[in-house]
Every structure is written in structure tokens, then in C-alpha cells.
């Protein structure tokens, strides 16, 4: 059973270890799939724990405690693990609505005490009854993919409010009311269904709790019966002990009576023996006399002599016994006599000591009499000295009276001076009180003026949220996060300054400084929050604007309280912190996520991307060489000459790009070594994460451009592609290398030799790209067939007809060109949005051309796609090729 319990606990630990505790995994389908088997584990563990406790108590009743020490240690480990498992599972929302998990006691049972089994409570796992099939459970996840039913109506209302009703028709107010009421009825119906489901779940939970309470009540009753049985057993044992005690007392009395009887019998026997001894003594004397008579009659009385001999022997034996007893008695009497002699000697010693003490007392009495004589002489001397002292005392009393008179006069003069000084002190105190009150008023006036100015600043910032002119202002989430963090720090300083001002109102400098800083930082946060919302998706933008409004309202309420001396005590600067934290959290959510890597991995990512770029260029050079060999075998003449010229120019471009990437890598290492100081390379990349992400994005752009150039060249050689694709790829790869140069120049020293070499490599890349474009155009002109225009056989009418058809074709091509240019502009605008605006992670919206780019964001591309940074235009390329100047977007 212990092994079974260990397997169950290991399973639960492995499930919890795979879950991500930072998010609510119990509400996700993957987390619920992992947590579902733990319901059976909880049921098994409760029964295993109950039976293991019973078996342990049974074992302790049969075996010694030392033998089961290992069992107790293993049970204690399993108890703590099981208790942690039950507590952790009970805190999860997923288990709360499916199963009622029991709570184990704080400590394991004490198996060394047999009565602890009655304190054990069986853990009962309660599973609520399942709902009926006709009741549909509430969907935890919105599975509908279509937009809400209310959105088309809202869009239609906004359309009608802006452009008017269609065909001039006017909708009746009653129809609008009916539709509104229908929507409210649907909403209320859905809420009613939710309330019913919630009530059903509550009923199920209450039933489970009732079952648990009934089980606990039954367990309590069982324990009560056990306690009654134990108390009856203890009462019976107590009665037996009392009976045994009474029997012992009775036996003790009997033994004492027997001892008294034996003592009295022994004394009677002693008296009898004493009487027999006296009789034997008399008999002995009489027998001695008879012995003399018997000796005279020995011959005549032989038979009687023998009898006398036997009697004599008996009497001799009895005589010996009596002698031994008498000797014992004499020894006891001698011992008692010796004891009395020692006591007498002790009394004599005490008498001697008393006599000595009496003699000492007499000697001390004589000494005291002599001392008494000397003391009487001293008394006479002291009485004369006392009389002398009394005379001196009288003289001193006269002097004291004189001193007291002088002292009283001095006290009167001092009291008058003290009264005068107290009056002056009261005047000074009143003047100081006035100055203090004036100082307090001035400090509060300064605080009030500062609060009024802060109120104007905050009102202006809140007004910017509704200002139409502010709609074109934008800001980045990074700057918003920095402003919100600074405002949160200012709130802490404001709380400290407010506490100091309440402690000492004579100094409002700390509060004024903190309030000034807070007002500016809060206003800056609100303004930048509104500006950031202009580029954010609709839902996060609305939440950000609401958070800014709430922050402004709390801040205005705070500065309003600071202007009122009565409300100043109830001012709570900490109420501004939650809205600012909400703005900070929204800013963190809106941060660009161009690289889904941690800052600690940026250094490895830079090296990896630069190596991947170099590998891509090497692969491109190798593929171009293979294509050149294939072209030499598959073509000849003009086509072979054109293909060789194009592939040679592409090879030169790839070599120039490879040299540029190598130089950029050297410059990057130089920047890291010169800028990291005592920090490691990873810490430098983490500290300059934005610059690092720019390098990674630029490197990915160069690698992607090289791959696209090779593919376009391959298609051109195989006559399956267009020459225009090769020209555009040349422009794109030149722009990507320019972006890499710009990203490297940001932190490089302007006098660095690597920077000079990098710029020279950039110019070489531009020249090679121009050569690719020129060779492509010249080859295109050589390959394409030019039809000679011979109009000699046409009549005037046919010429006029073809002229009109050509004009129509020109107009169509111009229209197509205009549409494509508009499309190119929209694509570039969307490119800028992807590069510089935060996109919601779970939201994709198509780009809309508008003055305010709000809502035109989309999800960022994966790492394997083309990077989202806009390329920087190479000024040496021809604008006729369809590439317009662009700017490097700082993402």
C-alpha cells in the first residue's frame, strides 16, 4: 500500500510539474486534459490513507514500537506529500466544481498512543451529482467565429448617423425601441440561463457539502460511542481498583492483628519459660539433695537410679536451653545497660558544658559591670558636649533668622523679575504663535497654488484625449511604459511627502516638489497614453483611453483634496496607483514583439543570425556558380552571353555582400567590446535590446534578399521568370544591406577603421547592385524581339482605327499603372505599421488607408518570413524601377 501511494503521489507531482503556474491553466483545454486523471488519484489516495492509518494502528498493537520505526518515517513522508497535494488541488478552480477534496489534519496520527485511533477522521471525497442531459453546460470558450450579432446593427447605426438613412427613408422610433427591447430580452434571457446554471452548480456544491457534513456527523457519532465504551471500561476498572484497595486494607488489618497476637503469644511463652526456669532451678536444688540420698541408696535402688539418670539427662538438656536463653537475656540487659551508661556519660558532658557556660556568663557579667562604669563616664562627657552644642545651635539659629529675612527680600525681588520675564515670554510666545500660523498659512498657500497648477496641467492632459487635433499625435508603447513607471515612482514620493506634511505642516517643500513632479509625469503619461492608443487596435486602445481617463479623474480628485485644508487629511495619494499600473500593464501588452526570445538569448541570436546570413550568401554564390555551369551547357549565342553577364554581376554582388557582412560582424564585436565594460556580452545585448533586435532584423533581411535574388536569377536563366523580378530583388538586397550598415553605425565610433571599411563595402554593394540592374536591362533588350513597325499597307481609316485602339490601350495601361502605384503605397504604409506599431497577439485586421492608422495593425510575421523593418533606399538606384525612397523604421 505504501508503494501504491508513492506511485499515486509521483503521478500527481509529474502532472503539476508540467503545468505552467504563471497562467490559469485550469481554464485551458490543455490544462484540463492534464488535470482530469487527478480526480481518480484523489479518490484512490483518500482510501489508501484511511486503510494505511488503520493498518498502522493494528501493527502497533501487535509489534514493538522500535520495529515499526521505518514504517512510521515512510508514513510521515507520504502524509506531508499527500497533504500538500490535496491543498494544492483544492485551490484550483477546475477541481472546485467537479470534486470536493477533504482536508487532512495539521499533523500525522500518533501511533504510539492507541487511543489516537478514535481521533482519526476518515477523509471523504464528495463528487457532485451530474446535471441532467437536457441542461446544456455553459461554454467556457467562445467557439463562434462570426462577429457578435450586435456589431452589424451598431455598424448600420453608425453608417446611418454619418451618411443618413438609405434612399431617404426614416426609421420609426418605435421600431428602434422594439429592436432595443428585443436585444435586452435576449441579453436578459442569456443572463437568466447563466444564473440558472450557477444556481444548479451551487445546489450541487451544497449537496456535496451536506453529504460531507453528514459523513462527518456519522464519524462524530461513532467517536462518541467509542468514547462511551472507553468511559464505561474505565469506570469498571476504577471499581475493581477500589475493591482491590479495600481488600488490601482488610488484609493489612488482619496482618496487624496476627502480629499483635504473635507478640502477645511470644510474651506469654517468655513468662512461661521464666516460670519453668525458676521451677527448674528449685528442682535442681532438690535433685542435688536427692542425689546425695540416692548415692547412699545406689546399690539398693539400681532401677530407680537409671530412671533418675534419664531424667537427669532431660533436665540437663533443658538446663542448657535455659542457660542459653538466660545468656541471651543477660546480653540484652548488658546492651541496655551499656546504652544507659553512654546516655549517662552524655548527660554528664552536657552538665559540664552547662557549668562552663555558667562560668563564662559570670565572667561576662563582671565585664559588663566594668563597661557600664566606663559608659557612665562617657555619658557625663557627652552631656557636657551637648550643652556646648546647644549654645552653638542657638547662635546658629540667630544667623539663620537673619539669612531668612535677607532671603525673603531676595525672593520678593526675584518674583517681581520673574513676573516681568513671564510677561515678556508670553508676548514672545504669542508673537511666535502668530509667526508659526503665518508660516503654516504661507506653506498651505504654496501647496494650494501648486495643487491648482497641477490641476490645470492634469485637466489640459485629460482634455487632450478628446481633442481632434491630438488624433494625429502618436507615441510608442516603450515610451509610455517609461512614463508610467516614472509616474508610479512619483506616487510613492507623493505619499511620503504627504505623510511628512501631515507630521509637520511647517514644511511643505517635500509635498510641493513631489506634487509638481507627479502632475507633470501623470499628465505626460495621460497624453502619451492617448497618443499610443491612436496606433493600437480598437479594444486595447479603448481600454487604454479608459485607464487614462480614470487616472486623470483620480489625480484631479487628489489635487482637489490637497487644496482643501479639511479634506487634506483624508487625501489618499495611493488611489492613483491602480490606474497607473493599468496603463503600465497595457503598455507592456502593446510593446512590439518582433523577436519572441528572451533578452538573455539576444546575444546568441545575433551570432546565430549573422552566421545564418553568411551561410545563406555562401549558398547563393554556390547556386549561382551551378546555374552558370548549367547555362553554358544548355544555351549558346546571345542567350549564353546575357545569362553569363547577369550571373557574373549577381556573383560580384554576392561577394560584395559577403565582405560587407564580415566587416559588419567585426564592427559589431568591436562595439560590444568597447561598450560592455565589466559586463558580459549577454548583459550588453540585454541592456541594448532594441539595437540588438535591429541588428538581428537587418541580418535576416540581408539573408532573405540574397535567397530571393538567387531564386529570381534561376528563373530568369530558365526563362520561367521576369527580368523585372531580378531588378526588384537587386533593389531590395541593396536596401537591406543599407539597413544593416545603418544599424551598425548607431553605436560605432566615427573614427573606427571597421566603420570606414563597412561604408566602403556598402558603396561597393550599391555599385554591384547597379551593375546587376544594368546587365539585366541590357540583356532584356537583347533577348526581346522587336517587331518593325510597317504601316505602309494601311489605309487612312485603318490607321485612324489603330490609333484609337492604341490610345485606348495607353489609357488602360496608365489606369493600371495608377492603381498599382496606389497599391504599392498602401503596401508600404502597411509595412510601416507592421514595423512600428504594436499588433495584438490574437487579432488580425486588414490595413485601412486613413489619416489615423489606428486599427490597421496585424499580427507580426514569423521569424522565417521576411523581416518587418522597412528598407533604406539606395540613392544610386534608378527610381524608374518602381522603388521609392523609404526611411528606416525604428522598431
Amino acid at each position: 500500500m505504501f508503494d501504491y501511494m508513492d506511485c499515486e503521489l509521483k503521478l500527481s507531482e509529474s502532472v503539476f510539474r508540467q503545468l505552467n503556474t504563471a497562467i490559469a491553466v485550469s481554464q485551458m483545454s490543455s490544462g484540463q486534459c492534464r488535470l482530469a486523471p487527478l480526480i481518480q488519484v484523489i479518490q484512490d489516495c483518500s482510501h489508501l490513507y484511511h486503510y494505511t492509518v488503520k493498518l498502522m494502528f493494528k501493527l502497533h498493537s501487535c509489534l514493538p514500537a522500535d520495529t515499526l520505526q521505518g514504517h512510521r518515517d515512510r508514513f510521515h513522508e507520504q502524509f506531508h506529500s499527500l497533504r500538500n497535494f490535496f491543498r494544492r488541488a483544492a485551490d484550483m478552480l477546475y477541481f472546485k466544481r467537479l470534486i470536493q477534496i477533504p482536508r487532512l489534519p495539521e499533523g500525522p496520527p500518533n501511533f504510539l498512543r492507541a487511543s489516537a485511533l478514535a481521533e482519526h477522521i476518515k477523509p471523504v471525497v464528495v463528487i457532485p451529482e451530474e446535471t441532467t442531459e437536457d441542461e446544456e453546460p455553459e461554454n467556457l470558450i467562445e467557439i463562434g467565429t462570426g462577429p457578435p450579432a450586435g456589431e452589424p446593427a451598431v455598424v448600420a447605426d453608425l453608417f446611418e448617423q454619418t451618411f443618413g438613412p438609405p434612399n431617404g427613408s426614416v426609421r420609426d422610433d418605435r421600431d428602434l425601441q422594439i429592436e432595443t427591447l428585443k436585444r435586452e430580452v435576449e441579453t436578459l434571457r442569456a443572463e437568466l440561463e447563466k444564473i440558472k446554471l450557477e444556481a444548479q452548480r451551487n445546489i450541487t456544491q451544497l449537496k456535496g457539502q451536506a453529504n460531507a457534513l453528514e459523513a462527518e456527523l456519522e464519524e462524530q457519532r461513532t467517536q462518541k460511542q467509542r468514547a462511551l465504551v472507553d468511559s464505561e471500561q474505565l469506570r469498571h476498572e476504577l471499581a475493581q481498583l477500589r475493591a482491590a484497595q479495600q481488600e488490601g486494607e482488610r488484609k493489612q488489618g488482619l496482618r496487624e492483628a496476627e502480629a499483635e497476637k504473635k507478640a502477645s503469644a511470644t510474651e506469654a511463652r517468655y513468662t512461661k519459660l521464666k516460670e519453668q526456669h525458676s521451677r527448674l532451678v528449685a528442682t535442681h536444688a532438690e535433685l542435688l539433695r536427692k542425689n546425695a540420698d540416692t548415692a547412699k541408696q545406689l546399690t539398693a535402688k539400681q532401677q530407680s537410679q537409671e530412671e533418675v539418670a534419664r531424667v537427669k539427662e532431660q533436665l540437663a538438656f533443658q538446663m542448657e536451653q535455659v542457660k542459653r536463653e538466660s545468656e541471651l537475656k543477660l546480653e540484652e540487659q548488658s546492651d541496655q545497660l551499656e546504652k544507659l551508661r553512654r546516655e549517662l556519660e552524655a548527660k554528664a558532658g552536657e552538665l559540664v558544658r552547662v557549668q562552663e557556660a555558667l562560668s563564662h556568663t559570670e565572667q561576662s557579667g563582671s565585664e559588663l559591670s566594668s563597661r557600664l562604669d566606663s559608659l557612665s563616664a562617657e555619658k557625663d562627657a557627652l552631656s557636657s558636649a551637648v550643652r556646648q552644642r546647644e549654645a552653638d545651635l542657638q547662635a546658629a539659629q540667630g544667623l539663620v533668622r537673619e539669612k531668612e529675612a535677607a532671603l525673603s527680600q531676595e525672593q520678593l525681588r526675584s518674583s517681581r523679575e520673574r513676573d516681568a520675564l513671564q510677561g515678556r515670554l508670553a508676548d514672545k510666545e504669542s508673537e511666535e504663535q502668530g509667526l508659526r500660523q503665518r508660516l503654516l498659512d504661507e506653506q498651505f498657500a504654496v501647496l494650494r497654488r501648486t495643487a491648482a497648477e497641477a490641476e490645470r496641467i492634469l485637466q489640459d492632459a485629460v482634455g487632450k484625449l478628446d481633442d481632434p487635433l491630438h488624433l494625429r499625435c502618436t507615441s510608442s508603447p516603450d515610451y509610455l511604459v517609461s512614463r508610467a513607471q516614472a509616474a508610479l515612482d512619483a506616487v510613492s514620493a507623493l505619499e511620503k511627502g504627504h505623510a511628512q506634511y501631515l507630521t509637520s505642516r511647517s514644511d511643505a517643500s517635500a509635498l510641493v516638489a513631489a506634487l509638481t513632479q507627479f502632475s507633470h509625469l501623470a499628465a505626460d503619461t495621460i497624453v502619451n497614453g492617448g497618443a499610443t492608443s491612436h496606433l493600437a487596435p480598437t479594444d486595447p486602445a479603448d481600454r487604454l483611453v479608459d485607464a487614462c481617463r480614470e487616472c486623470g479623474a483620480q489625480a484631479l480628485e487628489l489635487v482637489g483634496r490637497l487644496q482643501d485644508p479639511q479634506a487634506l487629511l483624508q487625501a489618499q495619494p495611493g488611489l492613483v496607483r491602480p490606474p497607473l499600473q493599468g496603463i503600465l500593464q497595457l503598455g507592456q501588452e502593446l510593446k512590439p514583439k518582433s523577436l519572441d526570445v528572451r533578452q538573455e538569448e539576444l546575444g546568441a541570436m545575433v551570432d546565430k543570425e549573422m552566421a545564418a546570413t553568411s551561410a545563406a550568401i555562401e549558398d547563393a554564390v554556390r547556386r549561382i556558380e551551378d546555374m552558370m555551369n548549367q547555362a553554358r551547357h544548355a544555351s549558346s549565342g546571345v542567350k549564353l552571353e546575357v545569362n553569363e553577364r547577369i550571373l557574373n554581376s549577381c556573383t560580384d554582388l554576392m561577394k560584395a555582400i559577403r565582405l560587407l557582412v564580415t566587416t559588419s560582424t567585426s564592427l559589431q564585436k568591436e562595439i560590444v567590446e568597447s561598450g560592455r565594460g565589466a559586463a558580459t556580452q549577454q548583459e550588453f545585448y540585454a541592456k541594448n535590446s532594441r539595437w540588438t533586435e535591429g541588428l538581428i532584423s537587418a541580418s535576416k533581411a540581408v539573408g532573405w534578399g540574397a535567397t530571393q535574388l538567387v531564386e529570381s536569377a534561376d528563373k530568369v536563366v530558365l526563362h520561367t521568370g521576369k527580368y523585372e523580378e531580378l531588378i526588384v530583388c537587386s533593389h531590395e538586397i541593396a536596401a537591406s544591406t543599407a539597413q544593416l550598415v545603418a544599424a551598425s553605425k548607431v553605436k560605432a565610433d566615427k573614427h573606427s577603421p571597421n566603420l570606414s571599411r563597412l561604408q566602403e563595402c556598402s558603396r561597393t554593394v550599391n555599385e554591384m547592385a547597379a551593375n546587376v540592374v544594368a546587365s539585366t536591362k541590357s540583356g532584356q533588350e537583347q533577348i526581346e524581339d522587336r517587331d518593325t513597325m510597317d504601316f505602309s499597307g494601311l489605309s487612312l481609316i485603318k490607321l485612324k482605327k489603330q490609333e484609337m485602339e492604341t490610345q485606348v490601350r495607353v489609357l488602360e495601361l496608365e489606369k493600371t499603372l495608377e492603381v498599382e502605384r496606389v497599391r504599392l503605397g498602401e503596401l508600404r504604409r502597411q509595412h510601416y505599421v507592421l514595423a512600428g506599431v504594436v499588433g495584438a497577439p490574437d487579432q488580425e485586421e486588414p490595413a485601412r488607408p486613413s489619416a489615423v492608422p489606428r486599427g490597421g495593425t496585424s499580427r507580426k510575421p514569423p521569424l522565417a518570413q521576411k523581416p518587418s523593418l522597412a528598407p533604406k533606399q539606395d540613392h544610386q538606384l534608378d527610381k524608374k524601377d518602381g522603388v521609392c525612397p523609404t526611411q528606416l523604421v525604428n522598431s
Side-chain angles (χ1 to χ4, degrees):
M1 294 183 72
F2 279 154
D3 294 338
Y4 192 4
M5 178 72 78
D6 286 336
C7 292
E8 298 282 359
L9 293 176
K10 287 180 181 177
L11 175 59
S12 64
E13 291 175 359
S14 63
V15 171
F16 282 128
R17 188 165 54 248
Q18 293 176 2
L19 296 178
N20 186 5
T21 58
I23 59 176
V25 295
S26 62
Q27 298 300 320
M28 300 174 62
S29 59
S30 62
Q32 292 178 0
C33 289
R34 288 189 174 94
L35 292 176
L38 294 186
I39 296 177
Q40 186 64 37
V41 173
I42 293 172
Q43 294 177 339
D44 294 343
C45 288
S46 63
H47 293 294
L48 286 174
Y49 170 76
H50 177 63
Y51 293 133
T52 304
V53 171
K54 285 191 172 182
L55 287 175
M56 288 293 290
F57 277 106
K58 183 68 70 177
L59 288 174
H60 279 79
S61 64
C62 301
L63 298 176
D66 296 335
T67 306
L68 300 172
Q69 181 64 38
H71 291 70
R72 287 197 300 273
D73 295 339
R74 189 172 179 184
F75 177 83
H76 290 170
E77 294 177 358
Q78 290 187 353
F79 173 82
H80 294 296
S81 300
L82 182 61
R83 186 170 178 272
N84 293 333
F85 167 49
F86 279 1
R87 184 175 68 253
R88 188 172 181 181
D91 294 336
M92 289 191 174
L93 184 61
Y94 174 74
F95 292 108
K96 288 183 179 178
R97 61 186 183 84
L98 294 178
I99 188 172
Q100 183 175 353
I101 302 173
R103 290 189 177 273
L104 297 182
E106 293 295 330
N110 186 5
F111 300 111
L112 302 178
R113 186 165 54 90
S115 60
L117 179 60
E119 301 174 1
H120 171 65
I121 300 175
K122 178 181 179 181
V124 180
V125 178
V126 180
I127 299 179
E129 299 179 359
E130 296 182 358
T131 58
T132 58
E133 295 181 357
D134 55 349
E135 293 179 357
E136 297 181 0
E138 181 182 357
N139 291 330
L140 296 179
I141 302 174
E142 185 65 29
I143 60 176
T145 57
E151 286 189 2
V154 175
V155 174
D157 293 340
L158 293 175
F159 182 83
E160 291 178 4
Q161 291 176 7
T162 306
F163 301 101
N167 298 327
S169 61
V170 180
R171 298 184 66 181
D172 193 359
D173 293 339
R174 289 179 295 177
D175 295 334
L176 297 176
Q177 292 179 0
I178 289 171
E179 292 179 1
T180 305
L181 291 174
K182 285 182 179 179
R183 287 194 296 270
E184 292 178 355
V185 167
E186 292 296 331
T187 304
L188 292 175
R189 186 177 291 111
E191 291 179 356
L192 181 60
E193 291 297 329
K194 291 182 180 179
I195 291 173
K196 286 181 179 179
L197 293 175
E198 187 66 27
Q200 186 66 28
R201 285 197 296 271
N202 291 335
I203 290 171
T204 305
Q205 291 178 359
L206 291 175
K207 285 182 179 179
Q209 293 178 2
N211 294 333
L213 292 175
E214 288 178 358
E216 186 176 356
L217 179 60
E218 187 65 27
E219 189 69 24
Q220 293 292 335
R221 289 175 180 173
T222 305
Q223 291 183 2
K224 181 180 178 182
Q225 293 296 332
R226 292 176 182 173
L228 291 175
V229 172
D230 293 342
S231 62
E232 190 66 28
Q233 292 178 356
L234 292 175
R235 191 180 293 109
H236 181 66
E237 292 178 358
L238 182 61
Q240 290 180 353
L241 290 175
R242 287 179 178 175
Q245 184 178 4
Q246 292 177 359
E247 184 69 19
E249 291 178 354
R250 186 176 63 80
K251 290 180 179 180
Q252 183 69 22
L254 292 175
R255 285 195 293 271
E256 290 178 356
E258 290 177 359
E260 290 178 357
K261 288 180 181 180
K262 288 181 180 180
S264 60
T266 303
E267 182 140 358
R269 192 181 305 147
Y270 176 71
T271 53
K272 288 180 182 180
L273 290 173
K274 191 174 181 181
E275 290 175 356
Q276 289 179 2
H277 179 264
S278 59
R279 286 197 300 271
L280 288 173
V281 171
T283 303
H284 180 63
E286 185 178 357
L287 288 174
L288 288 176
R289 286 192 300 271
K290 287 180 179 182
N291 191 15
D293 295 336
T294 303
K296 294 177 181 179
Q297 301 174 1
L298 181 61
T299 59
K301 298 179 179 179
Q302 187 68 34
Q303 294 180 351
S304 59
Q305 202 173 25
E306 293 177 356
E307 293 178 357
V308 170
R310 288 195 299 270
V311 172
K312 186 176 180 181
E313 290 177 358
Q314 293 177 357
L315 290 176
F317 178 71
Q318 291 179 357
M319 191 92 168
E320 289 294 331
Q321 289 182 349
V322 171
K323 283 182 180 180
R324 286 196 296 270
E325 290 178 359
S326 62
E327 287 176 357
L328 292 174
K329 293 292 183 181
L330 288 174
E331 288 178 358
E332 291 178 358
Q333 290 177 1
S334 64
D335 292 338
Q336 291 179 359
L337 183 61
E338 186 68 24
K339 187 184 295 184
L340 290 175
R341 187 180 295 109
R342 286 196 296 271
E343 290 179 357
L344 182 60
E345 291 177 355
K347 294 293 183 181
E350 290 178 0
L351 180 61
V352 171
R353 287 195 295 273
V354 170
Q355 289 177 355
E356 291 177 355
L358 181 60
S359 62
H360 286 302
T361 303
E362 290 177 354
Q363 293 178 0
S364 61
S366 62
E367 291 177 357
L368 287 174
S369 62
S370 61
R371 289 182 61 186
L372 183 61
D373 296 337
S374 62
L375 288 174
S376 62
E378 289 180 1
K379 180 180 179 182
D380 296 336
L382 289 174
S383 61
S384 61
V386 165
R387 288 193 293 272
Q388 182 66 28
R389 293 294 182 182
E390 287 179 353
D392 296 339
L393 180 60
Q394 291 177 357
Q397 287 178 353
L399 293 174
V400 166
R401 284 192 292 272
E402 293 178 357
K403 294 291 184 180
E404 286 179 353
L407 182 60
S408 61
Q409 294 178 0
E410 186 67 25
Q411 287 179 350
L412 290 174
R413 185 174 61 81
S414 299
S415 63
R416 288 194 295 269
E417 290 179 356
R418 186 175 63 254
D419 293 338
L421 291 175
Q422 286 180 352
R424 293 174 62 186
L425 181 61
D427 295 339
K428 291 291 185 181
E429 288 179 352
S430 61
E431 184 178 357
E432 183 180 359
Q433 187 69 25
L435 291 175
R436 186 181 295 107
Q437 186 63 34
R438 181 179 176 184
L439 176 61
L440 295 177
D441 295 340
E442 289 178 354
Q443 292 292 324
F444 183 72
V446 171
L447 177 60
R448 177 180 291 176
R449 288 194 297 271
T450 305
E453 183 64 24
E455 185 176 8
R456 286 193 293 272
I457 293 172
L458 292 170
Q459 287 176 352
D460 180 67
V462 174
K464 291 289 182 60
L465 297 177
D466 299 326
D467 190 0
L469 298 178
H470 189 254
L471 292 177
R472 294 186 178 273
C473 297
T474 59
S475 178
S476 66
D478 291 329
Y479 186 71
L480 175 62
V481 169
S482 64
R483 294 294 86 195
Q485 188 62 47
L488 285 173
D489 297 339
V491 170
S492 302
L494 184 61
E495 289 179 339
K496 184 177 180 181
H498 181 258
Q500 291 180 357
Y501 180 71
L502 293 180
T503 303
S504 175
R505 298 202 175 189
S506 60
D507 184 12
S509 59
L511 181 57
V512 169
L515 181 60
T516 303
Q517 184 184 14
F518 167 73
S519 62
H520 286 285
L521 291 175
D524 196 9
T525 302
I526 294 171
V527 172
N528 282 281
T532 304
S533 68
H534 297 159
L535 294 177
T538 304
D539 188 18
D542 293 339
R543 289 191 283 118
L544 182 58
V545 172
D546 293 340
C548 292
R549 293 185 190 277
E550 183 181 0
C551 178
Q554 294 290 346
L556 288 173
E557 182 181 358
L558 175 62
V559 297
R561 287 180 178 272
L562 293 179
Q563 297 180 45
D564 188 4
Q566 301 298 329
L568 180 63
L569 298 175
Q570 287 80 23
Q572 297 180 359
L575 295 178
V576 190
R577 185 177 284 107
L580 287 174
Q581 290 176 348
I583 295 174
L584 178 63
Q585 183 177 0
L586 288 172
Q588 293 286 355
E589 294 176 358
L590 292 175
K591 272 188 175 182
K593 301 176 180 62
S594 59
L595 292 176
D596 295 335
V597 294
R598 296 178 298 177
Q599 289 185 346
E600 292 80 359
E601 302 175 358
L602 287 176
M605 182 64 73
V606 171
D607 298 336
K608 180 179 178 182
E609 290 301 331
M610 295 299 288
T613 302
S614 299
I617 294 172
E618 293 290 342
D619 183 65
V621 172
R622 187 172 56 255
R623 288 182 60 187
I624 290 173
E625 292 177 354
D626 295 339
M627 285 188 290
M628 187 176 294
N629 294 329
Q630 293 177 2
R632 288 172 180 170
H633 292 290
S635 60
S636 61
V638 178
K639 291 184 179 180
L640 178 59
E641 180 184 356
V642 171
N643 291 337
E644 285 183 348
R645 186 164 59 249
I646 292 174
L647 293 177
N648 286 331
S649 61
C650 291
T651 303
D652 295 337
L653 178 59
M654 288 296 118
K655 292 179 180 179
I657 293 173
R658 180 172 57 187
L659 181 60
L660 183 137
V661 170
T662 305
T663 309
S664 176
T665 304
S666 301
L667 180 60
Q668 170 199 337
K669 292 181 180 179
E670 179 183 342
I671 292 171
V672 173
E673 291 298 329
S674 61
R676 66 185 180 92
T680 62
Q681 182 177 356
Q682 285 75 13
E683 293 175 353
F684 177 81
Y685 282 125
K687 181 179 179 182
N688 302 276
S689 59
R690 305 300 298 165
W691 174 74
T692 305
E693 291 178 2
L695 279 178
I696 294 172
S697 181
S699 177
K700 291 173 71 68
V702 172
W704 179 83
T707 305
Q708 293 297 321
L709 180 65
V710 172
E711 292 178 356
S712 299
D714 191 11
K715 291 179 181 180
V716 169
V717 172
L718 297 175
H719 305 289
T720 59
K722 298 179 180 180
Y723 290 95
E724 287 79 5
E725 294 180 1
L726 190 58
I727 294 173
V728 172
C729 288
S730 300
H731 291 308
E732 184 66 26
I733 197 169
S736 300
T737 54
Q739 176 187 340
L740 180 60
V741 172
S744 301
K745 286 172 60 178
V746 171
K747 290 187 174 293
D749 186 7
K750 62 181 180 179
H751 300 296
S752 174
N754 287 325
L755 179 60
S756 301
R757 287 195 294 271
L758 183 64
Q759 292 174 347
E760 183 65 28
C761 292
S762 176
R763 288 191 288 269
T764 305
V765 169
N766 291 334
E767 293 176 359
M768 294 300 104
N771 291 335
V772 172
V773 173
S775 61
T776 303
K777 287 184 177 181
S778 62
Q780 184 181 8
E781 292 176 355
Q782 291 179 6
I783 295 297
E784 290 180 350
D785 295 333
R786 300 284 184 177
D787 293 336
T788 58
M789 298 182 183
D790 186 10
F791 303 113
S792 58
L794 297 178
S795 62
L796 181 61
I797 299 301
K798 291 183 178 180
L799 286 174
K800 190 64 175 178
K801 184 179 179 181
Q802 288 189 6
E803 180 181 355
M804 292 178 64
E805 290 176 354
T806 304
Q807 288 179 357
V808 171
R809 181 62 178 167
V810 168
L811 291 176
E812 290 177 354
L813 292 175
E814 288 179 353
K815 181 64 176 177
T816 304
L817 178 61
E818 184 179 356
V819 172
E820 292 299 326
R821 282 178 176 172
V822 172
R823 176 179 173 82
L824 179 61
E826 293 299 329
L827 288 174
R828 283 179 174 162
R829 182 181 292 110
Q830 181 66 11
H831 193 182
Y832 294 146
V833 170
L834 287 174
V837 180
V838 181
D842 56 351
Q843 180 180 2
E844 284 192 7
E845 296 182 4
R848 300 194 300 266
S850 59
V852 181
R854 176 175 170 180
T857 60
S858 110
R859 191 179 299 174
K860 62 180 177 57
L863 291 178
Q865 297 180 4
K866 179 182 175 181
S868 60
L869 287 177
K872 187 172 182 180
Q873 174 63 27
D874 179 23
H875 298 288
Q876 298 182 4
L877 300 181
D878 192 359
K879 295 183 180 179
K880 296 180 182 179
D881 300 321
V883 180
C884 298
T886 58
Q887 293 180 354
L888 179 65
V889 179
N890 183 12
S891 58

